Amino acid sequence: MDKPLLHIISHTDLDGVAAAALAWHVHHHDRLVRISLTGYGDVDMLILETLAAGQEPLVLDLFCQREQTVDEIDKLWNDARRPFLFDHHKSTFERYGNRKWAVIDTNYCGALVYWRWLRENAKDERTQTVLAELEPVMKIANDRDLWLGEMPESRLWQALVTMCGQWGMLARLMDNPRAELSPVELAGAEEFTERQEARFALAKEHIWRSGSELAFVCDGVLEYGDVSDFCGLILDRDDNPPEVAAVAAKRFGGDWAVSMRSRDGLAGRVLALLKDGKKIRGGGHGDASALYFPRNYTQEQMRDSILAAIRVEKERNAAPKVTIGDLFKGLV
């Protein structure tokens, strides 16, 4: 082959799906393409596997979780080559903003970061045509991922990702890259959001509230895809909004995923405090992040861990010498 196989590695939400669809439309005409839609737990392994196999990675809306992965990429990557990783998460920028193989811009979602880079660097007519065709979808993904709330259709698109799955919507965008929803898609998405409102009402009745600091929703109340909308509802419309909203979900492998949302970057700071890259993993940016706890944790322990980290952040400004151990003592 003239070009090595291209391995597109992207996230499973609307942003990740849109980014993967863009990459496929740009590259599939002249090379073999493999696509992996995955989460933070597997991205390191996929990157290293791809590099070891002599294939070319293209990582979108994700970043490595382990220092060893970054060190290995630094050894293998030739600075003369084009960057292969496009992300937007604040925690990524703060740790790895100077890597030549990464393009990180916190002002846009991952898909739009890649779209903008292509617009500046890929001048061939075919790529420019693809960029123009997919620009409306990129803007919808951006509105959704950055919580701008300026495009009502972004919630409908995310509903379709939830109902049809990331692979179903990726196939749709491969076949039809237009942003306009068909009558069937529109009806299904609107029906889903109506049922979603009923789940939101139930979730409000089952929140573990820790004063004004944390609203924690236990597993089994919300469905995948509900998290951003529900947390936005709690953070923006509640009469007494919490500083952090968190939703727990038991994953099929037995471990836990806890999605966190905030409005002043606190979720990202909690992530930075609790993530150790071994027992507790995670990723995200300032106001939207996720922690992955081992299966032996209880929901109470996860809630208390997050609450302790919130209190550390609050105490840091007033009393920098307070440690997370001190705050855990207060919870016991």
Side-chain angles (χ1 to χ4, degrees):
M1 291 187 295
D2 293 336
K3 295 182 179 180
L5 180 144
L6 178 68
H7 187 184
I8 299 168
I9 304 168
S10 193
H11 206 189
T12 57
D13 60 4
L14 176 58
D15 185 14
V17 171
L22 171 62
W24 183 85
H25 277 285
V26 169
H27 295 290
H28 83 281
H29 70 289
D30 66 350
R31 65 196 305 179
L32 293 179
V33 175
R34 173 188 172 192
I35 300 177
S36 295
L37 299 180
T38 188
Y40 293 101
D42 295 322
V43 64
D44 292 76
M45 176 190 68
L46 289 169
I47 292 173
L48 293 178
E49 278 183 357
T50 303
L51 291 173
Q55 300 167 356
E56 183 177 343
L58 177 56
V59 185
L60 306 166
D61 193 34
L62 287 169
F63 204 89
C64 319
Q65 294 296 291
R66 300 181 180 91
E67 294 282 354
Q68 299 94 315
T69 307
V70 175
D71 291 341
E72 190 65 22
I73 295 172
D74 285 340
K75 293 176 187 175
L76 295 172
W77 198 254
N78 183 337
D79 286 348
R81 299 168 70 181
R82 287 187 167 192
F84 75 93
L85 192 147
F86 299 84
D87 195 20
H88 69 113
H89 296 109
K90 185 178 180 181
S91 58
T92 301
F93 179 80
E94 290 171 345
R95 295 177 67 188
Y96 306 113
N98 62 340
R99 290 307 195 280
K100 292 183 179 179
W101 43 265
V103 176
I104 306 167
D105 191 336
T106 59
N107 294 307
Y108 307 98
C109 73
L112 202 51
V113 170
Y114 184 48
W115 184 93
R116 288 169 59 86
W117 184 87
L118 286 170
R119 186 181 62 178
E120 294 299 319
N121 293 276
K123 301 298 186 180
D124 61 284
E125 184 177 348
R126 186 185 181 282
T127 298
Q128 294 301 316
T129 299
V130 169
L131 294 178
E133 192 171 36
L134 277 164
E135 182 177 5
V137 172
M138 299 299 106
K139 291 182 176 179
I140 288 172
N142 191 66
D143 182 86
R144 171 67 187 186
D145 209 66
L146 298 190
W147 302 5
L148 301 180
E150 298 171 355
M151 305 176 72
E153 61 267 39
S154 68
R155 183 176 181 185
L156 300 178
W157 269 88
Q158 182 60 38
L160 290 171
V161 173
T162 303
M163 291 188 295
C164 304
Q166 62 267 28
W167 292 107
M169 290 310 293
L170 178 62
R172 191 278 196 192
L173 284 171
M174 288 175 169
D175 177 64
N176 173 14
R178 292 187 294 275
E180 294 79 16
L181 298 178
S182 71
V184 171
E185 291 170 336
L186 181 60
E190 288 178 339
E191 181 182 349
F192 176 87
T193 56
E194 289 175 6
R195 288 187 281 109
Q196 192 178 54
E197 291 295 337
R199 292 195 297 274
F200 287 0
L202 181 64
K204 284 183 177 180
E205 299 175 1
H206 292 82
I207 290 177
W208 290 353
R209 190 68 187 252
S210 301
S212 63
E213 296 167 317
L214 176 65
F216 188 95
V217 181
C218 291
D219 178 49
V221 181
L222 296 175
E223 294 183 6
Y224 170 79
D226 287 344
V227 173
S228 289
D229 284 317
F230 179 76
C231 291
L233 182 70
I234 296 300
L235 292 168
D236 295 332
R237 300 185 201 170
D238 195 89
D239 293 336
N240 181 29
E243 294 171 80
V244 175
V247 178
K250 190 81 166 179
R251 304 207 296 179
F252 285 115
D255 60 337
W256 293 97
V258 180
S259 299
M260 298 183 296
R261 300 291 187 269
S262 64
R263 285 292 182 262
D264 61 355
L266 184 54
R269 297 194 294 275
V270 168
L271 165 73
L273 274 173
L274 294 179
K275 184 180 75 170
D276 59 19
K278 298 176 182 178
K279 286 175 59 180
I280 302 174
R281 296 173 290 106
H285 49 83
D287 285 327
S289 59
L291 288 163
Y292 301 96
F293 290 87
R295 67 178 66 201
N296 60 309
Y297 272 68
T298 66
Q299 295 190 86
E300 290 84 355
Q301 288 173 320
M302 294 186 295
R303 175 200 61 190
D304 290 348
S305 298
I306 294 170
L307 183 58
I310 291 172
R311 291 177 179 173
V312 164
E313 278 301 309
K314 293 173 67 175
E315 290 290 338
R316 271 182 173 174
N317 295 329
K321 294 183 180 181
V322 174
T323 68
I324 195 166
D326 297 329
L327 293 180
F328 271 121
K329 291 177 185 178
L331 290 170
V332 173

